[in-house]
């Protein structure tokens, strides 16, 4: 019993550390790392993995946000413009997740990772604005669309929503890449908290695992923030894209096997 618990704790620590590092580096919640690894390493089902990831993201994103604040990269107004609509989105996403076959979540997540990986590879890496753009009605509405969509993705797949927050903050609200990452982390804290609470109501959240993983991820998140403010963004994007492609093919194969078994 003890060796099994020890191995599980070490696995949770490893997953949390890697997720925290990626959260700080890329302005995501770390769910793109946690959910696949919780499924593949800890053998959780998709709903439990996505729920546990959301709970951990609350702690990871909070720590990374505070650290980014020391660099002066947070934009509270822009964070609210995407973060408030995301609250409605995460409720919609968690509701939707309970009403689709669990095996579909793996396939949806694999497709999301492929899209993110391709977008990173094709990115020109030249989004260097930092002062934001004029907040007219069109930009506010577009930001709300990105925020709501990020919330739906978060609730459905257990991610922090940074894969949509960051592009919205860059291309709609005109923030620079590092500022967008920092503000993305700020926006996802209340959204992830609401999503985790909702999943707890559905009975899907492994609270102890979630808190343990979130706490152990904090040092990695702090290191990731420091690196994000020091290393070339392009190098980080390519490396992350390669990891996403690997995880996507693993999850895609898992989902297809479940579909074949169910047929």
């Amino acid at each position: 019993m003890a060796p099994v618990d020890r191995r599980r704790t070490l696995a949770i620590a490893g997953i949390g550390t890697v997720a925290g590092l990626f959260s700080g580096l890329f302005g995501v919640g770390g769910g793109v790392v946690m959910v696949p690894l919780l499924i593949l390493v800890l053998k959780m089902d998709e709903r439990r993995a996505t729920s546990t990831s959301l709970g951990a993201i609350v702690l990871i994103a909070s720590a990374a946000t505070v650290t980014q604040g020391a660099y002066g990269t947070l934009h509270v107004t822009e964070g609210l413009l995407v973060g408030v609509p995301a609250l409605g989105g995460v409720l919609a996403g968690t509701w939707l997740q309970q009403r689709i076959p669990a095996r579909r979540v793996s396939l949806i997540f694999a497709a999301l990772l492929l899209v993110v990986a391709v977008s990173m590879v094709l990115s020109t890496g030249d989004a260097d604005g930092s002062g934001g753009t004029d907040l007219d009605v069109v930009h506010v509405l577009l930001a709300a669309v990105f925020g709501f969509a990020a919330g739906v993705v978060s609730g459905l797949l257990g991610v922090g929503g940074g894969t949509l927050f960051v592009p919205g903050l860059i291309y709609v609200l005109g923030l620079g890449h590092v500022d967008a990452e920092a503000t993305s982390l700020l926006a996802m804290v209340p959204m992830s908290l609401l999503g985790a609470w909702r999943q707890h109501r559905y009975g899907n959240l492994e609270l102890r695992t979630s808190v343990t993983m979130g706490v152990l991820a904090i040092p990695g998140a702090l290191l990731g923030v420091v690196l994000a403010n020091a290393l070339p963004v392009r190098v980080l994007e390519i490396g992350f894209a390669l990891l996403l492609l690997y995880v996507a093919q693993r999850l895609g194969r898992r989902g297809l096997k479940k579909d074949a078994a169910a047929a």
Side-chain angles (χ1 to χ4, degrees):
M1 183 70 174
V4 173
D5 290 342
R6 190 157 47 245
R7 286 197 296 270
R8 180 180 174 85
T9 300
L10 288 173
I12 291 171
I15 293 170
T17 299
V18 174
L21 181 62
F22 276 79
S23 177
L25 277 172
F26 301 105
V28 298
V32 291
V33 174
M34 283 187 287
V35 173
L37 291 180
L38 288 171
I39 293 171
L40 299 172
V41 177
L42 295 187
K43 309 302 181 184
M44 286 187 180
D45 64 69
E46 284 80 357
R47 290 194 179 101
R48 194 165 295 275
T50 56
S51 305
T52 302
S53 171
L54 276 176
I57 286 169
V58 177
L59 298 174
I60 297 171
S62 296
T65 298
V66 171
T67 308
Q68 283 285 17
Y71 286 94
T73 51
L74 296 177
H75 295 254
V76 176
T77 299
E78 286 80 357
L80 290 173
L81 288 176
V82 295
V84 172
L87 296 177
V90 75
L91 291 177
T94 53
W95 178 87
L96 180 61
Q97 191 200 59
Q98 312 309 309
R99 289 159 177 80
I100 63 175
R103 63 183 178 273
R104 298 291 184 190
V105 177
S106 281
L107 293 175
I108 293 171
F109 201 93
L112 172 67
L113 296 187
L114 285 173
V115 170
V116 174
V118 171
S119 68
M120 283 186 171
V121 171
L122 297 180
S123 171
T124 60
D126 59 358
D128 297 324
S130 59
T133 190
D134 293 333
L135 297 180
D136 56 27
V137 174
V138 173
H139 287 93
V140 169
L141 289 176
L142 285 175
V145 169
F146 268 90
F148 184 82
V152 172
V153 170
S154 179
L156 181 62
L157 302 177
V159 298
T163 51
L164 290 174
F165 279 144
V166 173
L169 289 165
I170 291 173
Y171 299 113
V172 176
L173 298 181
L175 298 188
H177 197 98
V178 175
D179 287 38
E181 288 184 356
T183 306
S184 167
L185 291 164
L186 174 65
M188 72 179 61
V189 173
M191 180 195 70
S192 300
L193 181 61
L194 179 60
W197 170 79
R198 193 61 181 167
Q199 288 285 18
H200 180 65
R201 294 289 300 273
Y202 285 124
N204 294 326
L205 178 65
E206 284 195 13
L207 184 59
R208 183 176 178 180
T209 300
S210 186
V211 171
T212 300
M213 191 162 54
V215 169
L216 293 174
I218 290 175
L222 302 184
L223 175 60
V225 169
V226 172
L227 292 174
N229 285 274
L231 296 177
V233 173
R234 190 58 177 159
V235 173
L236 302 177
E237 287 176 342
I238 296 298
F240 191 44
L242 292 175
L243 175 64
L244 293 185
L245 289 172
Y246 170 74
V247 175
Q249 66 89 16
R250 290 290 303 271
L251 282 177
R253 289 176 61 186
R254 176 187 174 90
L256 289 173
K257 284 182 180 179
K258 285 194 170 187
D259 271 350

